[in-house]
Amino acid sequence: MYEYRIEVKDLNTWFGEKHVLKNITCYFEDNSVTAIMGPSGCGKSTLLRSINRLNDLIPGFRLTGQIFFAGSNIYDPDRNVYELRKRIGMVFQRPNPFPMSIRENLTFGPRLHGIKDEDELERIVEDSLRKAALWDEVRDQLDSPAVHLSGGQQQRLCIARALSVDPPVLLMDEPVSALDPISAGKIEDLIVQLKKEYTIILVTHNVQQAFRVSDQAAFLYMGELVEFDKTKRIAVAPEDPRTEAFITGRIG
Amino acid sequence: MNRTDDEREREGTQAGRLWTVLSEGGTRLVALGGRARRLTRREVKDIVFKLLVALMVLIVVTPFFLLLARLLSVGLQDLVGSGPGQGWELIATLPGAALRGGVLNAIVGTTVLVLVATAVGVPLSVMGAVYINEYSRPGRVRTAIEFGADVLAGIPSIVFGAFGFTFLVAYLGLGLGALTGGLTLAFMMIPTVMRTTQEALKQVPSSLREASLALGATKWATTWRVTVRAALPGIVTGILLAVGRVMGETAPLIFTTGNNLGLPTGLVGPESWVASLPFTIWSYIMDPRPYLQVRAHSAALVLLMMVLIVDILANYASRRLTRRIV
Ligand SMILES: Nc1ncnc2c1ncn2[C@@H]1O[C@H](COP(=O)(O)OP(=O)(O)OP(=O)(O)O)[C@@H](O)[C@H]1O
Ligand SMILES: [Mg+2]
């Protein structure tokens, strides 16, 4: 097994009585982008949020099967979930910066995990912002409120915030769907940059976007993993008729 | 081109509308009278509605200004005069012989009572609200607590006074004084502060909590460093509104504080008996001596000013906090 590769094995999840994910088995390669596509309500977010155990907090959520991260099952009863979430960053659909200054948004995570040295924090702030291609735009206003930034800048700040605790894996749940096309383009470029260093799992509604940025693609339909392969292959010749229907815009 | 009458009418009023906008306020009526045929129904409705709202606002604020005028017309002589207990002496001296001095005892008393009430009431209500909102599952217990708090918030303050007397004074044997009075005021604050805090917490989007958890924060850290912090402006406003309100309460204090022409020297026992502004105003106004009638009015002005100061602080604090974090 690879150091950080994520593997999902026989995953089934329920919200109450509702069986949401059905027998999902797949893996996510290191230093590449895997897109999870599928129509609304098919379980994309649920799959993503199972990988950092964010679903655990929802009353009535139940899960069977395993998800391996760096070789060990993240659902082991004695697994430290806080340490896990530190190593699996997440970016949400709507930009959700904390109502604090830009700087505080980026020191929040590191401080939680015990980094107190101001120089070290300063370095993390700059590093994360540079990686998120935001440094040049905000370097002079680090102490102003994050919510004064534009939507696209806020989303890049959220990416920087996820990177601030130095996770090898980045989960992104439709990160550009709430943004204008120009901001969306910037973030797509950023994703392509980031995959050099990170394992990225990108949920998207947008087939063209998945084809542009991803290396592998998974197609979910009503909780089932219908197709999972290299993006190039799926783009040219989808195997399953449902995948074809989705990428040609007939469902979704 | 088949233009409707309405369209033509609207075009015709362009200049008229500009004119109306320029001559705000009273001239509206003239416009209404002089150009009634040119105004569309909608515009007429708009103007009538605006006048109606203005009238309502006038009705709502008039009592306050009448009250202020009354207080000033009687009480101002105490604020500007230079006799005993007037001018600075009003707020800097004790009543003394024949109550001719100032009301320092009441100012200190109200301050002490409010401080005790805040010190006890605020932590309890904020933590209660955090527990209910962030930790308890939605369901019957939560609904019951919320309902209970709403009922408590609507209970007349004299009932809190009676409760303070029977529970704190008689049952717990705390006696009259600053602690008992402060606790009684705290009981009054708790439901309101708890509910306003809850409302403020509900305004915090759950995606902020998730963002924090996804960074590896514990529930505890998320609650205090993200959720409560984001809700802080609303929480502070709620606290200060409640403080302003209990500051002016007389009824809960009648049975619980005793009275004192000097300053309290303790929190419990006979030496902790305190005066308060509302109580002092009430007892002075019942007194036939004319100068005490006047003093009651000037004391009311002092109380108004104290509430005003709390209000300004409330505004300032919540604006500072909002600017810092939002
Ligand atoms: N908190 C929840 N409680 C109950 N059911 C839920 C919850 N979250 C999701 N579900 C259900 O699980 C199913 C999958 O939801 P999910 O959010 O994973 O879909 P999705 O593929 O991300 O859709 P979208 O493209 O609209 O974001 C849906 O039918 C939804 O109703
Ligand atoms: Mg989703």
Side-chain angles (χ1 to χ4, degrees), chain A residues 82-110:
Chain A
Y82 306 110
E83 198 266 348
L84 172 80
R85 292 198 190 124
K86 172 183 181 293
R87 295 175 66 196
I88 302 187
M90 185 159 199
V91 178
F92 297 79
Q93 181 166 3
R94 295 195 169 275
N96 55 354
F98 296 133
M100 310 168 185
S101 70
I102 294 173
R103 188 196 306 277
E104 285 171 299
N105 264 277
L106 298 167
T107 55
F108 179 87

PDB file of all heavy atoms in Angstrom, chain A residues 82-110:
ATOM      1  N   TYR A  82      -9.597  13.484  15.493  1.00  0.00           N
ATOM      2  CA  TYR A  82      -9.093  14.867  15.343  1.00  0.00           C
ATOM      3  C   TYR A  82      -7.792  14.878  14.553  1.00  0.00           C
ATOM      4  O   TYR A  82      -7.558  15.733  13.711  1.00  0.00           O
ATOM      5  CB  TYR A  82      -8.920  15.514  16.712  1.00  0.00           C
ATOM      6  CG  TYR A  82     -10.190  15.427  17.508  1.00  0.00           C
ATOM      7  CD1 TYR A  82     -10.291  14.600  18.625  1.00  0.00           C
ATOM      8  CD2 TYR A  82     -11.323  16.121  17.087  1.00  0.00           C
ATOM      9  CE1 TYR A  82     -11.483  14.488  19.313  1.00  0.00           C
ATOM     10  CE2 TYR A  82     -12.519  16.016  17.766  1.00  0.00           C
ATOM     11  CZ  TYR A  82     -12.594  15.195  18.882  1.00  0.00           C
ATOM     12  OH  TYR A  82     -13.782  15.082  19.546  1.00  0.00           O
ATOM     13  N   GLU A  83      -6.959  13.893  14.848  1.00  0.00           N
ATOM     14  CA  GLU A  83      -5.700  13.781  14.123  1.00  0.00           C
ATOM     15  C   GLU A  83      -5.983  13.440  12.659  1.00  0.00           C
ATOM     16  O   GLU A  83      -5.363  13.968  11.740  1.00  0.00           O
ATOM     17  CB  GLU A  83      -4.848  12.707  14.809  1.00  0.00           C
ATOM     18  CG  GLU A  83      -3.385  12.750  14.470  1.00  0.00           C
ATOM     19  CD  GLU A  83      -3.051  11.823  13.314  1.00  0.00           C
ATOM     20  OE1 GLU A  83      -3.898  10.980  12.935  1.00  0.00           O
ATOM     21  OE2 GLU A  83      -1.934  11.949  12.799  1.00  0.00           O
ATOM     22  N   LEU A  84      -6.998  12.578  12.457  1.00  0.00           N
ATOM     23  CA  LEU A  84      -7.378  12.217  11.086  1.00  0.00           C
ATOM     24  C   LEU A  84      -7.832  13.445  10.299  1.00  0.00           C
ATOM     25  O   LEU A  84      -7.398  13.679   9.176  1.00  0.00           O
ATOM     26  CB  LEU A  84      -8.519  11.185  11.126  1.00  0.00           C
ATOM     27  CG  LEU A  84      -9.134  10.886   9.754  1.00  0.00           C
ATOM     28  CD1 LEU A  84      -8.259   9.905   8.990  1.00  0.00           C
ATOM     29  CD2 LEU A  84     -10.551  10.359   9.858  1.00  0.00           C
ATOM     30  N   ARG A  85      -8.684  14.245  10.927  1.00  0.00           N
ATOM     31  CA  ARG A  85      -9.215  15.406  10.218  1.00  0.00           C
ATOM     32  C   ARG A  85      -8.142  16.456   9.977  1.00  0.00           C
ATOM     33  O   ARG A  85      -8.228  17.231   9.027  1.00  0.00           O
ATOM     34  CB  ARG A  85     -10.380  16.020  11.005  1.00  0.00           C
ATOM     35  CG  ARG A  85     -11.594  15.099  11.027  1.00  0.00           C
ATOM     36  CD  ARG A  85     -12.836  15.874  11.412  1.00  0.00           C
ATOM     37  NE  ARG A  85     -13.948  14.962  11.668  1.00  0.00           N
ATOM     38  CZ  ARG A  85     -14.633  14.936  12.801  1.00  0.00           C
ATOM     39  NH1 ARG A  85     -14.334  15.782  13.776  1.00  0.00           N
ATOM     40  NH2 ARG A  85     -15.622  14.089  12.958  1.00  0.00           N
ATOM     41  N   LYS A  86      -7.148  16.477  10.828  1.00  0.00           N
ATOM     42  CA  LYS A  86      -6.031  17.392  10.594  1.00  0.00           C
ATOM     43  C   LYS A  86      -5.302  16.999   9.314  1.00  0.00           C
ATOM     44  O   LYS A  86      -4.818  17.841   8.572  1.00  0.00           O
ATOM     45  CB  LYS A  86      -5.067  17.332  11.781  1.00  0.00           C
ATOM     46  CG  LYS A  86      -3.768  18.096  11.574  1.00  0.00           C
ATOM     47  CD  LYS A  86      -2.862  17.904  12.772  1.00  0.00           C
ATOM     48  CE  LYS A  86      -1.579  18.670  12.628  1.00  0.00           C
ATOM     49  NZ  LYS A  86      -0.705  18.171  11.564  1.00  0.00           N
ATOM     50  N   ARG A  87      -5.262  15.705   9.035  1.00  0.00           N
ATOM     51  CA  ARG A  87      -4.490  15.249   7.879  1.00  0.00           C
ATOM     52  C   ARG A  87      -5.319  15.129   6.611  1.00  0.00           C
ATOM     53  O   ARG A  87      -4.797  14.813   5.547  1.00  0.00           O
ATOM     54  CB  ARG A  87      -3.820  13.908   8.224  1.00  0.00           C
ATOM     55  CG  ARG A  87      -2.798  14.092   9.335  1.00  0.00           C
ATOM     56  CD  ARG A  87      -2.217  12.786   9.768  1.00  0.00           C
ATOM     57  NE  ARG A  87      -1.414  12.181   8.712  1.00  0.00           N
ATOM     58  CZ  ARG A  87      -1.047  10.905   8.725  1.00  0.00           C
ATOM     59  NH1 ARG A  87      -1.435  10.119   9.713  1.00  0.00           N
ATOM     60  NH2 ARG A  87      -0.318  10.430   7.754  1.00  0.00           N
ATOM     61  N   ILE A  88      -6.625  15.325   6.730  1.00  0.00           N
ATOM     62  CA  ILE A  88      -7.476  15.313   5.540  1.00  0.00           C
ATOM     63  C   ILE A  88      -8.233  16.634   5.493  1.00  0.00           C
ATOM     64  O   ILE A  88      -9.207  16.827   6.204  1.00  0.00           O
ATOM     65  CB  ILE A  88      -8.448  14.125   5.574  1.00  0.00           C
ATOM     66  CG1 ILE A  88      -7.641  12.817   5.675  1.00  0.00           C
ATOM     67  CG2 ILE A  88      -9.337  14.125   4.345  1.00  0.00           C
ATOM     68  CD1 ILE A  88      -8.466  11.565   5.548  1.00  0.00           C
ATOM     69  N   GLY A  89      -7.726  17.548   4.686  1.00  0.00           N
ATOM     70  CA  GLY A  89      -8.331  18.882   4.640  1.00  0.00           C
ATOM     71  C   GLY A  89      -9.617  18.875   3.845  1.00  0.00           C
ATOM     72  O   GLY A  89      -9.857  17.999   3.025  1.00  0.00           O
ATOM     73  N   MET A  90     -10.466  19.879   4.095  1.00  0.00           N
ATOM     74  CA  MET A  90     -11.730  19.932   3.359  1.00  0.00           C
ATOM     75  C   MET A  90     -12.076  21.362   2.951  1.00  0.00           C
ATOM     76  O   MET A  90     -11.889  22.298   3.703  1.00  0.00           O
ATOM     77  CB  MET A  90     -12.853  19.361   4.216  1.00  0.00           C
ATOM     78  CG  MET A  90     -14.171  19.271   3.466  1.00  0.00           C
ATOM     79  SD  MET A  90     -15.273  18.083   4.244  1.00  0.00           S
ATOM     80  CE  MET A  90     -16.409  17.762   2.921  1.00  0.00           C
ATOM     81  N   VAL A  91     -12.576  21.472   1.722  1.00  0.00           N
ATOM     82  CA  VAL A  91     -13.053  22.754   1.217  1.00  0.00           C
ATOM     83  C   VAL A  91     -14.519  22.566   0.852  1.00  0.00           C
ATOM     84  O   VAL A  91     -14.882  21.576   0.217  1.00  0.00           O
ATOM     85  CB  VAL A  91     -12.246  23.195  -0.020  1.00  0.00           C
ATOM     86  CG1 VAL A  91     -12.791  24.501  -0.571  1.00  0.00           C
ATOM     87  CG2 VAL A  91     -10.770  23.330   0.338  1.00  0.00           C
ATOM     88  N   PHE A  92     -15.353  23.524   1.255  1.00  0.00           N
ATOM     89  CA  PHE A  92     -16.791  23.345   1.127  1.00  0.00           C
ATOM     90  C   PHE A  92     -17.336  24.063  -0.106  1.00  0.00           C
ATOM     91  O   PHE A  92     -16.647  24.841  -0.760  1.00  0.00           O
ATOM     92  CB  PHE A  92     -17.488  23.853   2.380  1.00  0.00           C
ATOM     93  CG  PHE A  92     -17.112  23.081   3.618  1.00  0.00           C
ATOM     94  CD1 PHE A  92     -15.901  23.333   4.267  1.00  0.00           C
ATOM     95  CD2 PHE A  92     -17.933  22.099   4.119  1.00  0.00           C
ATOM     96  CE1 PHE A  92     -15.532  22.624   5.395  1.00  0.00           C
ATOM     97  CE2 PHE A  92     -17.582  21.387   5.250  1.00  0.00           C
ATOM     98  CZ  PHE A  92     -16.380  21.645   5.886  1.00  0.00           C
ATOM     99  N   GLN A  93     -18.606  23.796  -0.383  1.00  0.00           N
ATOM    100  CA  GLN A  93     -19.238  24.357  -1.570  1.00  0.00           C
ATOM    101  C   GLN A  93     -19.319  25.875  -1.514  1.00  0.00           C
ATOM    102  O   GLN A  93     -18.959  26.565  -2.452  1.00  0.00           O
ATOM    103  CB  GLN A  93     -20.640  23.763  -1.700  1.00  0.00           C
ATOM    104  CG  GLN A  93     -21.389  24.259  -2.914  1.00  0.00           C
ATOM    105  CD  GLN A  93     -22.616  23.407  -3.198  1.00  0.00           C
ATOM    106  OE1 GLN A  93     -22.928  22.482  -2.441  1.00  0.00           O
ATOM    107  NE2 GLN A  93     -23.302  23.698  -4.265  1.00  0.00           N
ATOM    108  N   ARG A  94     -19.802  26.373  -0.379  1.00  0.00           N
ATOM    109  CA  ARG A  94     -19.857  27.828  -0.220  1.00  0.00           C
ATOM    110  C   ARG A  94     -18.659  28.269   0.585  1.00  0.00           C
ATOM    111  O   ARG A  94     -18.326  27.640   1.584  1.00  0.00           O
ATOM    112  CB  ARG A  94     -21.127  28.247   0.516  1.00  0.00           C
ATOM    113  CG  ARG A  94     -22.339  27.929  -0.290  1.00  0.00           C
ATOM    114  CD  ARG A  94     -23.574  28.629   0.215  1.00  0.00           C
ATOM    115  NE  ARG A  94     -24.603  28.471  -0.770  1.00  0.00           N
ATOM    116  CZ  ARG A  94     -24.739  29.267  -1.831  1.00  0.00           C
ATOM    117  NH1 ARG A  94     -23.931  30.303  -1.973  1.00  0.00           N
ATOM    118  NH2 ARG A  94     -25.675  29.040  -2.720  1.00  0.00           N
ATOM    119  N   PRO A  95     -18.010  29.361   0.142  1.00  0.00           N
ATOM    120  CA  PRO A  95     -16.889  29.855   0.930  1.00  0.00           C
ATOM    121  C   PRO A  95     -17.355  30.103   2.360  1.00  0.00           C
ATOM    122  O   PRO A  95     -18.385  30.737   2.565  1.00  0.00           O
ATOM    123  CB  PRO A  95     -16.536  31.186   0.250  1.00  0.00           C
ATOM    124  CG  PRO A  95     -17.134  31.115  -1.106  1.00  0.00           C
ATOM    125  CD  PRO A  95     -18.309  30.193  -1.027  1.00  0.00           C
ATOM    126  N   ASN A  96     -16.626  29.557   3.332  1.00  0.00           N
ATOM    127  CA  ASN A  96     -17.048  29.736   4.718  1.00  0.00           C
ATOM    128  C   ASN A  96     -15.893  30.157   5.612  1.00  0.00           C
ATOM    129  O   ASN A  96     -15.567  29.478   6.573  1.00  0.00           O
ATOM    130  CB  ASN A  96     -17.696  28.453   5.250  1.00  0.00           C
ATOM    131  CG  ASN A  96     -16.783  27.242   5.109  1.00  0.00           C
ATOM    132  OD1 ASN A  96     -15.713  27.346   4.523  1.00  0.00           O
ATOM    133  ND2 ASN A  96     -17.193  26.123   5.647  1.00  0.00           N
ATOM    134  N   PRO A  97     -15.266  31.302   5.297  1.00  0.00           N
ATOM    135  CA  PRO A  97     -14.187  31.763   6.170  1.00  0.00           C
ATOM    136  C   PRO A  97     -14.745  32.076   7.550  1.00  0.00           C
ATOM    137  O   PRO A  97     -15.910  32.451   7.672  1.00  0.00           O
ATOM    138  CB  PRO A  97     -13.699  33.037   5.479  1.00  0.00           C
ATOM    139  CG  PRO A  97     -14.845  33.510   4.672  1.00  0.00           C
ATOM    140  CD  PRO A  97     -15.580  32.279   4.236  1.00  0.00           C
ATOM    141  N   PHE A  98     -13.917  31.889   8.582  1.00  0.00           N
ATOM    142  CA  PHE A  98     -14.351  32.259   9.920  1.00  0.00           C
ATOM    143  C   PHE A  98     -14.497  33.773   9.985  1.00  0.00           C
ATOM    144  O   PHE A  98     -13.749  34.502   9.313  1.00  0.00           O
ATOM    145  CB  PHE A  98     -13.314  31.818  10.962  1.00  0.00           C
ATOM    146  CG  PHE A  98     -13.136  30.338  11.048  1.00  0.00           C
ATOM    147  CD1 PHE A  98     -11.867  29.776  11.071  1.00  0.00           C
ATOM    148  CD2 PHE A  98     -14.243  29.497  11.126  1.00  0.00           C
ATOM    149  CE1 PHE A  98     -11.694  28.413  11.166  1.00  0.00           C
ATOM    150  CE2 PHE A  98     -14.068  28.125  11.222  1.00  0.00           C
ATOM    151  CZ  PHE A  98     -12.798  27.577  11.239  1.00  0.00           C
ATOM    152  N   PRO A  99     -15.428  34.260  10.805  1.00  0.00           N
ATOM    153  CA  PRO A  99     -15.550  35.716  10.962  1.00  0.00           C
ATOM    154  C   PRO A  99     -14.407  36.277  11.794  1.00  0.00           C
ATOM    155  O   PRO A  99     -14.605  36.770  12.889  1.00  0.00           O
ATOM    156  CB  PRO A  99     -16.907  35.888  11.649  1.00  0.00           C
ATOM    157  CG  PRO A  99     -17.181  34.592  12.307  1.00  0.00           C
ATOM    158  CD  PRO A  99     -16.460  33.541  11.537  1.00  0.00           C
ATOM    159  N   MET A 100     -13.221  36.168  11.262  1.00  0.00           N
ATOM    160  CA  MET A 100     -12.029  36.668  11.938  1.00  0.00           C
ATOM    161  C   MET A 100     -11.172  37.329  10.864  1.00  0.00           C
ATOM    162  O   MET A 100     -11.559  37.385   9.707  1.00  0.00           O
ATOM    163  CB  MET A 100     -11.219  35.522  12.544  1.00  0.00           C
ATOM    164  CG  MET A 100     -11.991  34.553  13.395  1.00  0.00           C
ATOM    165  SD  MET A 100     -10.980  33.099  13.734  1.00  0.00           S
ATOM    166  CE  MET A 100     -12.177  32.098  14.608  1.00  0.00           C
ATOM    167  N   SER A 101      -9.987  37.776  11.252  1.00  0.00           N
ATOM    168  CA  SER A 101      -9.103  38.364  10.252  1.00  0.00           C
ATOM    169  C   SER A 101      -8.558  37.260   9.344  1.00  0.00           C
ATOM    170  O   SER A 101      -8.657  36.072   9.654  1.00  0.00           O
ATOM    171  CB  SER A 101      -7.951  39.091  10.933  1.00  0.00           C
ATOM    172  OG  SER A 101      -7.094  38.155  11.524  1.00  0.00           O
ATOM    173  N   ILE A 102      -8.000  37.675   8.209  1.00  0.00           N
ATOM    174  CA  ILE A 102      -7.412  36.722   7.278  1.00  0.00           C
ATOM    175  C   ILE A 102      -6.342  35.906   7.997  1.00  0.00           C
ATOM    176  O   ILE A 102      -6.302  34.671   7.911  1.00  0.00           O
ATOM    177  CB  ILE A 102      -6.809  37.469   6.075  1.00  0.00           C
ATOM    178  CG1 ILE A 102      -7.931  38.145   5.278  1.00  0.00           C
ATOM    179  CG2 ILE A 102      -5.995  36.531   5.194  1.00  0.00           C
ATOM    180  CD1 ILE A 102      -7.442  39.051   4.177  1.00  0.00           C
ATOM    181  N   ARG A 103      -5.502  36.610   8.748  1.00  0.00           N
ATOM    182  CA  ARG A 103      -4.421  35.930   9.453  1.00  0.00           C
ATOM    183  C   ARG A 103      -4.973  34.890  10.419  1.00  0.00           C
ATOM    184  O   ARG A 103      -4.524  33.741  10.442  1.00  0.00           O
ATOM    185  CB  ARG A 103      -3.575  36.961  10.199  1.00  0.00           C
ATOM    186  CG  ARG A 103      -2.302  36.396  10.808  1.00  0.00           C
ATOM    187  CD  ARG A 103      -1.717  37.344  11.832  1.00  0.00           C
ATOM    188  NE  ARG A 103      -1.515  38.686  11.302  1.00  0.00           N
ATOM    189  CZ  ARG A 103      -0.447  39.054  10.591  1.00  0.00           C
ATOM    190  NH1 ARG A 103       0.493  38.190  10.337  1.00  0.00           N
ATOM    191  NH2 ARG A 103      -0.335  40.283  10.152  1.00  0.00           N
ATOM    192  N   GLU A 104      -5.968  35.302  11.211  1.00  0.00           N
ATOM    193  CA  GLU A 104      -6.513  34.376  12.216  1.00  0.00           C
ATOM    194  C   GLU A 104      -7.148  33.145  11.577  1.00  0.00           C
ATOM    195  O   GLU A 104      -7.141  32.066  12.158  1.00  0.00           O
ATOM    196  CB  GLU A 104      -7.537  35.090  13.089  1.00  0.00           C
ATOM    197  CG  GLU A 104      -6.920  36.028  14.096  1.00  0.00           C
ATOM    198  CD  GLU A 104      -7.972  36.871  14.790  1.00  0.00           C
ATOM    199  OE1 GLU A 104      -8.669  37.637  14.096  1.00  0.00           O
ATOM    200  OE2 GLU A 104      -8.095  36.755  16.014  1.00  0.00           O
ATOM    201  N   ASN A 105      -7.734  33.321  10.383  1.00  0.00           N
ATOM    202  CA  ASN A 105      -8.277  32.176   9.680  1.00  0.00           C
ATOM    203  C   ASN A 105      -7.202  31.121   9.442  1.00  0.00           C
ATOM    204  O   ASN A 105      -7.481  29.927   9.453  1.00  0.00           O
ATOM    205  CB  ASN A 105      -8.866  32.610   8.340  1.00  0.00           C
ATOM    206  CG  ASN A 105     -10.360  32.833   8.417  1.00  0.00           C
ATOM    207  OD1 ASN A 105     -11.127  31.894   8.321  1.00  0.00           O
ATOM    208  ND2 ASN A 105     -10.756  34.081   8.618  1.00  0.00           N
ATOM    209  N   LEU A 106      -5.978  31.614   9.197  1.00  0.00           N
ATOM    210  CA  LEU A 106      -4.907  30.685   8.840  1.00  0.00           C
ATOM    211  C   LEU A 106      -4.134  30.172  10.046  1.00  0.00           C
ATOM    212  O   LEU A 106      -3.483  29.139   9.969  1.00  0.00           O
ATOM    213  CB  LEU A 106      -3.964  31.372   7.855  1.00  0.00           C
ATOM    214  CG  LEU A 106      -4.680  31.766   6.555  1.00  0.00           C
ATOM    215  CD1 LEU A 106      -3.826  32.703   5.744  1.00  0.00           C
ATOM    216  CD2 LEU A 106      -5.046  30.531   5.768  1.00  0.00           C
ATOM    217  N   THR A 107      -4.220  30.898  11.172  1.00  0.00           N
ATOM    218  CA  THR A 107      -3.503  30.410  12.353  1.00  0.00           C
ATOM    219  C   THR A 107      -4.416  29.569  13.238  1.00  0.00           C
ATOM    220  O   THR A 107      -3.942  28.892  14.145  1.00  0.00           O
ATOM    221  CB  THR A 107      -2.937  31.577  13.184  1.00  0.00           C
ATOM    222  OG1 THR A 107      -4.002  32.469  13.509  1.00  0.00           O
ATOM    223  CG2 THR A 107      -1.864  32.320  12.414  1.00  0.00           C
ATOM    224  N   PHE A 108      -5.706  29.605  12.951  1.00  0.00           N
ATOM    225  CA  PHE A 108      -6.666  28.868  13.780  1.00  0.00           C
ATOM    226  C   PHE A 108      -6.303  27.377  13.878  1.00  0.00           C
ATOM    227  O   PHE A 108      -6.145  26.833  14.972  1.00  0.00           O
ATOM    228  CB  PHE A 108      -8.067  29.033  13.198  1.00  0.00           C
ATOM    229  CG  PHE A 108      -9.140  28.306  13.952  1.00  0.00           C
ATOM    230  CD1 PHE A 108      -9.774  28.898  15.026  1.00  0.00           C
ATOM    231  CD2 PHE A 108      -9.518  27.022  13.584  1.00  0.00           C
ATOM    232  CE1 PHE A 108     -10.768  28.224  15.726  1.00  0.00           C
ATOM    233  CE2 PHE A 108     -10.510  26.338  14.278  1.00  0.00           C
ATOM    234  CZ  PHE A 108     -11.134  26.946  15.344  1.00  0.00           C
ATOM    235  N   GLY A 109      -6.149  26.738  12.722  1.00  0.00           N
ATOM    236  CA  GLY A 109      -5.844  25.306  12.710  1.00  0.00           C
ATOM    237  C   GLY A 109      -4.513  24.980  13.373  1.00  0.00           C
ATOM    238  O   GLY A 109      -4.452  24.170  14.296  1.00  0.00           O
ATOM    239  N   PRO A 110      -3.415  25.639  12.910  1.00  0.00           N
ATOM    240  CA  PRO A 110      -2.119  25.368  13.525  1.00  0.00           C
ATOM    241  C   PRO A 110      -2.121  25.568  15.041  1.00  0.00           C
ATOM    242  O   PRO A 110      -1.564  24.756  15.778  1.00  0.00           O
ATOM    243  CB  PRO A 110      -1.191  26.374  12.843  1.00  0.00           C
ATOM    244  CG  PRO A 110      -1.818  26.620  11.516  1.00  0.00           C
ATOM    245  CD  PRO A 110      -3.302  26.517  11.731  1.00  0.00           C
TER     246      PRO A 110
END
